[in-house]
Amino acid sequence: MFGWTGVFLRVDLTRNEAVAESYDAGMALNFIGGRGFAAKILWDELELGIDALSPENKLIFAAGPLTGFGLPNSGKLVVASKSPLTGSYGDGNIGTSAAVQMRKAGYDAVIIEGKAETPVVLHVKNDVAEFIDAQDFWGLNSFEAEAQLKLLYERTAGVVSIGPAGENLVRFATVVSQEGRAGGRPGMGAVMGSKNLKAIVFEGDNEIPAAYPEDMKELSAAGYREILTKPNFSFWKRQGTVSTVEWSQENSALPTCNFREGVFENADKIGGFAMEKIKVGNRGCPQCNMTCGNVVKDSGRGETELDYENIVMLGSNIGLGNLKQVAALNRVADELGLDTISLGNVLGFAMEASEKRRVPERIHWGKFKETKALINDIAYRRGFGDVLAEGVQTAAAKVGRGAEDWAMHVKGLEVSAYDCHAAPAMALSYATSSIGAHHKDAWVIHWEVQFGRESYSEEKINKVIEMQRLRGGVFESLTVCRFPYAELGFELEWYTKYLHAATGRKMPFNTLIYDADKILNLIRAFWIREYASNWTRDMDFPPVRWFKDPLTEGPLKGSMLDALKYNVMLKKYYRKRGWDERGIPKKSTLKKLGLSDEANELEQYVQLSE
Ligand code: PTT
Ligand code: SF4
């Protein structure tokens, strides 16, 4: 095979064994890579109903056929497993040189099984894998762990690690790399911690096999040059995703005080232009010339990388309007290995619960020191922090008395940073995303604001599906960064050319979209299989708050979602997807996508419509 190495590394931490396994072209062509590989492996290999934090769970690091070749924005890696937060499929996409080094070491994916008896670091160099005693690393934060490992190995080594949050099994702990790239929102860091795996170090010296290596070099260079010509390039380098703060504020979509409002009085203090005043440089993923990590000085003595999501969730959503303090909280989250989106959610929830006197603790909106202390309590599972470490869904169930209505999650995963009181399509996107309320699959709100916010129309459903296929299916399986395409208009044709140079195969976009649907339906089947008789279409509803508590401020004051209209929209979405009225894929849909075996298996747990 060209493009793919054709090899997975299977690591059994219980037995201290690592075995290279070849896989066939069918796997590569049907599931492409990244999310596709992860979904297929987890579907085939995970026993039903296992505890996500038990040795029976598997943690997968999976790349795509373009990863590591040096072409634009291809230093990304999918990290996936059964999620301890949602109880079903979970993944994230992390930019890291570990992606490049893993492929150069000869692997398209690493499958981690079992549990080490005591903490270990896994070191993979080409065809040798060793298990290093990590008792001295356990307890270090993710920055310290990576720095120390870089002293032991080459500086070029790719490292992914967890911080104390992962060690302490916080259900929204992430995997961290390069002091500021974080991935695996639905608790992939906790799964790694549950396996006593502190870090993985990848080093590789092999050539990744390309069908047309010369073409690949030329096309890569041309791609980088093309990106430089894009009109939005220089502003992107200045602000990256952070300019969205101003956009969200103007359009009443800026989550404020636990998603109660869509505007924040101090938005200008945490927006792109405020960020530029404290910015000291750009950082980013490997193999990228549009690096979007904005490095800023925080209110302590540290530096941190800011993106839109972490500014909003640790800023307006908790009532904090001081950007240097937001940056300091972000750094703490990165060091501890906590997902900033879920963190900002549980903090906002805790502040509201305190304000409503539903909990004895007093945690106030916008108070930096209190918040920082609570973040540490979450990571170390102390006091109320221990309750919040379970995620907002469980915390709300514990607080009770209607707290579920203002717990901002879908299927257990906390909502990312777009308020949807007046954005039905974005709400549908969150509600039907493959992992719970994350924006990666269909970030439709920008389009929706231009199209018209009030309607629940066919066009909106079509747009959500189109984006889910492209972003959640194609980009997540190719495992390349979607920003050149999504933010600068880098044309999709580049990717079919890259695929041809890498694999020697013509893979037109319509086949990639077909594969995308296959992968998204397989993930859906995974959810249904896990939940079986407990599955209900209510799980495809966005948080209650957006239906019940209208906005009380800003230009869209009074707005909220309409439950009846949303329900009709969801029904139509199901129909277009080929799912029945419960949201379960029909047998014919799965068969059409080449998932007949999966349909037969699923039928053992739920009745499938024809
Ligand atoms: C992603 C989610 C996001 S999405 C952000 S900011 W964003 C938050 N970043 C966090 C962080 O930082 N530290 C932390 N401790 N937790 C964080 N949680 C949040 O995680 C990320 C970029 C971004 S920045 C985005 S949108 C794009 N996401 C891509 C994607 O999902 N797929 C893809 N093919 N390309 C993408 N390109 C962009 O990558 P998750 P990263 Mg991330 C400090 O991991 O689980 O997917 O959640 O990986 O390397 O940091 O790049 O406004
Ligand atoms: Fe990473 Fe940003 Fe470059 Fe994408 S654009 S590869 S997220 S640095």
Side-chain angles (χ1 to χ4, degrees), residues 270-286:
I270 59 168
F273 294 99
M275 185 277 298
E276 284 197 65
K277 291 192 184 133
I278 58 168
K279 181 167 172 171
V280 294
N282 281 71
R283 263 204 318 248
C285 315

Side-chain angles (χ1 to χ4, degrees), residues 30-65:
N30 277 311
F31 295 97
I32 314 292
R35 175 178 261 187
F37 282 172
K40 178 67 174 149
I41 295 166
L42 292 172
W43 170 272
D44 284 347
E45 298 188 10
L46 273 202
E47 256 178 62
L48 193 64
I50 55 147
D51 177 351
L53 296 176
S54 71
E56 285 72 41
N57 200 2
K58 303 194 184 196
L59 180 66
I60 316 240
F61 291 87

Side-chain angles (χ1 to χ4, degrees), residues 207-239:
E207 285 277 312
I208 307 164
Y212 304 109
E214 284 311 310
D215 289 6
M216 186 57 111
K217 270 190 209 141
E218 276 171 33
L219 280 168
S220 293
Y224 283 114
R225 283 197 302 273
E226 175 70 18
I227 285 172
L228 295 178
T229 68
K230 296 295 178 195
N232 198 27
F233 177 82
S234 59
F235 190 58
W236 174 261
K237 285 282 279 197
R238 275 173 55 192
Q239 296 199 357

Side-chain angles (χ1 to χ4, degrees), residues 76 93 95 180 182-185 310 334 338-340 476 480 482:
K76 290 268 186 186
N93 191 315
R185 287 198 53 212
N310 35 43
D334 280 345
L338 288 162
D339 171 53
T340 50
E476 290 317 299
V480 292
R482 62 171 184 259

Side-chain angles (χ1 to χ4, degrees), residues 84-111:
L85 195 57
T86 68
S88 188
Y89 178 84
D91 70 16
N93 191 315
I94 182 169
T96 168
S97 49
V100 180
Q101 295 298 323
M102 182 183 93
R103 288 263 287 164
K104 288 192 171 166
Y107 310 107
D108 291 332
V110 174
I111 305 162

Side-chain angles (χ1 to χ4, degrees), residues 55-83:
E56 285 72 41
N57 200 2
K58 303 194 184 196
L59 180 66
I60 316 240
F61 291 87
L66 302 181
T67 309
F69 274 118
L71 55 90
N73 308 64
S74 59
K76 290 268 186 186
L77 194 58
V78 164
V79 48
S81 67
K82 178 172 176 178
S83 158

Side-chain angles (χ1 to χ4, degrees), residues 73 76 181 236 283-286 288 290-293 481 483-484:
N73 308 64
K76 290 268 186 186
R181 327 291 322 158
W236 174 261
R283 263 204 318 248
C285 315
C288 172
M290 49 183 280
T291 44
C292 65
C481 177
F483 277 162

